Amino acid sequence: MMRYQWLLFDADGTLFDFDRAEVSALEQAFREIGVTYDPGYLATYQRINQALWQAVERGEIKPVVVKLKRFELLLEAIGIASSAVDLSANYLECLATGSELIEDASEVLQALHGKKYRIAILTNGLQVVQRGRLARSVIRNHIADIIISEEIGHAKPAKEFFEIAMARLGNPSKRDVLMIGDGWNSDIQGAVQYDIDACWYNPARKPRPSNLEITREIASLRDLVEWLTVA
């Protein structure tokens, strides 16, 4: 018998190839506002963006704040007097079309869906991006629901995020749910603290950040198929 009924996947870095989409969207966004893109802007943007999303995870700011603040700080850092509002809007529009997937993601979800697992996406992200690219993605028909931090007003790893997500999914028993994600703090610690099983997707084989007890660690999404479809 299957141990789980619901598989909850993170989006960025777990299913969607966010790194590739991010580079393309940033370059296009600068082009749209008439500014020559310098590849060096990427590292500055990523540093600012990461710091803001970490603040979201700590509950210090809401996801909606990130949308504009990161571009205000970026333009200030690189010394360009352009509209952060326009840059942000262009970036989000471009990013929403970036539906490229992590290697094997489509085949793995198809196999798991075929085994009658119910699949949802839980993401600390922005509505226009996450819904836009899911709608364009080949995996859309395998996804029963997508829970987005901007929409519900809470972000992983907060207990409130997981409570709302579980309610949206019909309040399944916690023992019937598995969280799968690459984010140690948001996905793994959040799941364990909420008392649901957690599978850390760790393709870079990073050292485990703490002694937190988790259910599984995988380096490839295909490992999920071998583990969850044996029975």
Side-chain angles (χ1 to χ4, degrees):
M1 296 178 64
M2 293 193 305
R3 180 176 178 183
Y4 304 107
Q5 295 180 13
W6 279 97
L7 304 179
L8 313 181
F9 283 86
D10 176 45
D12 299 329
T14 302
L15 294 178
F16 290 98
D17 188 345
F18 184 76
D19 291 343
R20 184 165 51 155
E22 180 182 59
V23 173
S24 176
L26 195 62
E27 184 174 357
Q28 290 180 59
F30 271 99
R31 187 183 307 124
E32 289 292 329
I33 64 170
V35 175
T36 301
Y37 176 73
D38 184 325
Y41 295 164
L42 177 64
T44 303
Y45 170 77
Q46 288 177 330
R47 172 178 54 79
I48 293 168
N49 192 49
Q50 182 180 37
L52 289 172
W53 280 111
Q54 287 172 346
V56 169
E57 291 178 10
R58 294 191 297 268
E60 297 170 0
I61 60 175
K62 295 293 186 180
V64 67
V65 174
V66 179
K67 191 182 298 185
L68 182 60
K69 188 66 175 178
R70 56 189 175 183
F71 290 106
E72 292 175 340
L73 294 174
L74 174 60
L75 290 172
E76 180 182 351
I78 62 180
I80 292 178
S82 291
S83 168
V85 173
D86 290 344
L87 185 58
S88 174
N90 291 332
Y91 175 79
L92 292 175
E93 183 178 350
C94 294
L95 193 60
T97 66
S99 57
E100 299 92 343
L101 296 170
I102 294 289
E103 184 178 6
D104 298 327
S106 177
E107 294 80 4
V108 166
L109 289 192
Q110 183 176 0
L112 294 172
H113 189 258
K115 285 290 185 176
K116 307 304 180 184
Y117 287 103
R118 302 195 70 186
I119 300 169
I121 292 176
L122 275 60
T123 174
N124 283 355
L126 301 174
Q127 177 186 35
V128 65
V129 174
Q130 306 294 18
R131 290 198 177 277
R133 61 184 179 172
L134 179 60
R136 294 172 173 83
S137 174
V138 296
I139 67 172
R140 62 186 179 276
N141 292 330
H142 303 319
I143 307 301
D145 201 353
I146 178 170
I147 294 89
I148 304 171
S149 59
E150 184 188 24
E151 292 182 348
I152 67 174
H154 297 281
K156 298 176 292 182
K159 176 183 178 181
E160 292 84 356
F161 180 97
F162 286 94
E163 286 178 339
I164 293 171
M166 294 285 275
R168 283 265 294 269
L169 303 179
N171 288 311
S173 170
K174 290 183 178 181
R175 66 176 179 269
D176 294 331
V177 176
L178 175 70
M179 179 75 210
I180 303 134
D182 68 308
W184 182 263
N185 293 329
S186 57
D187 302 322
I188 306 308
Q189 287 194 150
V192 172
Q193 289 168 2
Y194 189 66
D195 199 28
I196 59 177
D197 285 359
C199 175
W200 188 31
Y201 174 53
N202 182 22
R205 301 181 186 274
K206 302 174 185 176
R208 195 171 295 184
S210 72
N211 294 324
L212 190 70
E213 185 175 346
I214 65 174
T215 306
R216 195 93 169 186
E217 180 177 332
I218 59 174
S220 166
L221 291 178
R222 285 199 174 275
D223 294 342
L224 284 174
V225 178
E226 296 178 13
W227 173 32
L228 296 174
T229 65
V230 172

